[in-house]
Amino acid sequence: MGTESYTYMGRSFNEFTINDDSSSSAFSDCNSDRSGEFATTSSQSRRLLISCASENSDDFIRQLVSDLHSSSIEDQKQAAMEIRLLAKNKPENRIKIAKAGAIKPLISLVSSQDLQLQEYGVTAILNLSLCDENKELIASSGAIKPLVRALNSGTSTAKENAACALLRLSQVEENKAAIGRSGAIPLLVNLLETGGIRAKKDASTALYSLCSVKENKMRAVKAGIMKVLVELMADFESNMVDKSAYVVSVLASVPEAKVALVEEGGVPVLVEIVEVGSQRQKEIAAVILLQICEDSVAYRTMVAREGAIPPLVALTQSGTNRAKQKAEKLIELLRQPRSTRSTSEIMIA
């Protein structure tokens, strides 16, 4: 079976091999807002068509930015909606809109008490953040805290799009810690637990990105993320097994996350995935089991007692090349004498 490299947000998953029939990526793409067109009156529809079709839109963009400062909430909504559409449908407009000065007034809308206006502002910021050149400007203009507030108290669409916008901003490495310090992690964990399928995908993708930073891993563990991830991994109908497992694999580099994973019943769930999951799921489950067993005799005993060795042996025969390597190494660990304790086990004693 062939090996296919898996790349997400510029990071290569050389630990994992994707070798199943699914063409969908493990995470939400967040390429643009996926909400339906906002309701408009017939007279406004003409302006929307102009905003999407005009080839000479600079003057129109400047007028829209001016309208964002209007004292009329309806004018602000209309301007934000049209900016959102311009940025969604024409990538080249994202830089034009930012250069026209739209970002700061849009951030002000994200802080609006009017939930619809807030949603429009969040969605416009999301679409502008798809341009790499805009990410630093959006963050430096003060967007992070308002986006976190929208993640807390906005409409369901605003929460989803705020998660996506924070994901895009987190692609600038120095923004990751700032986003974590602003309180985003517990809110994303809550969205992962309580949101619909799109919200879960968006939250897991944002958490995966943000938790490459150690301090955010700790925040996620303290927010109870392992309970949520284990429950999602255990539900094969959730379409979240892969996504949750990838987040677990990022978190498992810190001892506290390993302890939480075991305490929340993660070991039997991972063993079951190795036994009955897809090729990709089996591989990532084997990787996680190896992560938790490498420095802990107690965890090796626990994994072996869950009956992991037979499905791991099967994985060495039929898995992907990477899965075979991980399974072989894990089997070797599980068969080692268990008479000594490692320093990491003191945490669970």
Side-chain angles (χ1 to χ4, degrees):
M1 302 179 83
T3 298
E4 179 183 342
S5 63
Y6 179 69
T7 302
Y8 175 68
M9 289 171 49
R11 296 174 60 191
S12 176
F13 283 84
N14 54 5
E15 288 291 309
F16 315 123
T17 301
I18 299 176
N19 206 5
D20 57 19
D21 294 329
S22 172
S23 60
S24 61
S25 68
F27 288 107
S28 166
D29 52 18
C30 283
N31 281 338
S32 68
D33 71 275
R34 288 148 288 174
S35 51
E37 301 303 320
F38 298 124
T40 60
T41 65
S42 57
S43 61
Q44 291 169 332
S45 296
R46 181 174 177 275
R47 291 189 72 194
L48 288 177
L49 289 173
I50 292 172
S51 72
C52 292
S54 174
E55 293 298 329
N56 192 9
S57 57
D58 290 3
D59 290 342
F60 187 63
I61 288 172
R62 283 191 287 270
Q63 181 58 52
L64 291 176
V65 173
S66 177
D67 290 346
L68 291 175
H69 297 279
S70 171
S71 59
S72 165
I73 288 180
E74 292 307 313
D75 287 348
Q76 289 179 315
K77 286 180 181 179
Q78 185 66 28
M81 175 174 57
E82 295 178 5
I83 286 173
R84 166 248 177 181
L85 289 174
L86 275 169
K88 177 179 181 178
N89 295 317
K90 287 193 171 184
E92 64 271 21
N93 283 333
R94 293 167 190 158
I95 295 177
K96 290 182 181 180
I97 292 167
K99 287 183 176 178
I103 288 176
K104 285 191 175 181
L106 284 171
I107 292 172
S108 296
L109 301 192
V110 174
S111 299
S112 173
Q113 297 300 308
D114 184 295
L115 291 181
Q116 189 180 53
L117 184 57
Q118 179 190 59
E119 179 184 315
Y120 291 4
V122 169
T123 308
I125 288 291
L126 164 61
N127 288 349
L128 292 175
S129 73
L130 302 179
C131 172
D132 288 340
E133 294 183 37
N134 288 341
K135 290 182 176 71
E136 290 188 19
L137 177 59
I138 291 171
S140 65
S141 297
I144 291 174
K145 288 184 178 179
L147 286 170
V148 171
R149 286 194 292 269
L151 190 60
N152 181 45
S153 59
T155 65
S156 59
T157 298
K159 289 179 180 180
E160 293 166 358
N161 289 341
C164 276
L166 290 169
L167 162 66
R168 290 295 171 178
L169 297 184
S170 75
Q171 292 173 322
V172 178
E173 191 67 25
E174 53 265 32
N175 288 339
K176 292 181 180 181
I179 292 170
R181 287 193 297 267
S182 295
I185 303 295
L187 297 173
L188 287 167
V189 172
N190 182 64
L191 189 63
L192 180 65
E193 181 176 20
T194 63
I197 184 61
R198 176 192 161 182
K200 290 180 187 297
K201 289 179 179 179
D202 293 343
S204 67
T205 311
L207 286 163
Y208 174 82
S209 175
L210 291 167
C211 288
S212 65
V213 175
K214 183 178 179 180
E215 64 187 82
N216 288 340
K217 298 181 203 283
M218 301 303 297
R219 292 186 177 103
V221 172
K222 289 178 182 178
I225 192 172
M226 278 303 177
K227 179 177 184 294
V228 181
L229 293 173
V230 169
E231 289 174 351
L232 290 171
M233 287 193 300
D235 183 1
F236 284 88
E237 303 299 318
S238 69
N239 194 32
M240 288 293 297
V241 176
D242 308 53
K243 303 166 188 64
S244 302
Y246 280 118
V247 179
V248 170
S249 72
V250 171
L251 295 169
S253 63
V254 296
E256 293 83 355
K258 295 177 185 179
V259 172
L261 175 61
V262 173
E263 289 180 346
E264 295 297 342
V267 169
V269 170
L270 290 165
V271 172
E272 183 181 14
I273 293 172
V274 172
E275 188 171 6
V276 302
S278 67
Q279 287 295 319
R280 180 163 74 182
Q281 291 165 358
K282 289 179 180 182
E283 182 174 324
I284 181 59
V287 168
I288 296 168
L289 287 171
L290 182 58
Q291 284 177 291
I292 66 174
C293 287
E294 280 178 323
D295 298 318
S296 173
V297 174
Y299 289 162
R300 292 174 204 169
T301 302
M302 190 180 302
V303 170
R305 286 176 178 171
E306 284 295 334
I309 291 180
L312 285 169
V313 170
L315 190 59
T316 65
Q317 303 299 316
S318 62
T320 63
N321 290 336
R322 195 65 178 178
K324 289 177 182 178
Q325 294 172 9
K326 296 298 181 181
E328 288 168 358
K329 187 173 181 181
L330 183 53
I331 290 168
E332 183 181 350
L333 281 177
L334 296 179
R335 288 175 171 167
Q336 286 178 0
R338 301 166 192 162
S339 58
T340 58
R341 286 170 30 131
S342 66
T343 54
S344 65
E345 293 169 287
I346 297 173
M347 297 183 64
I348 44 174

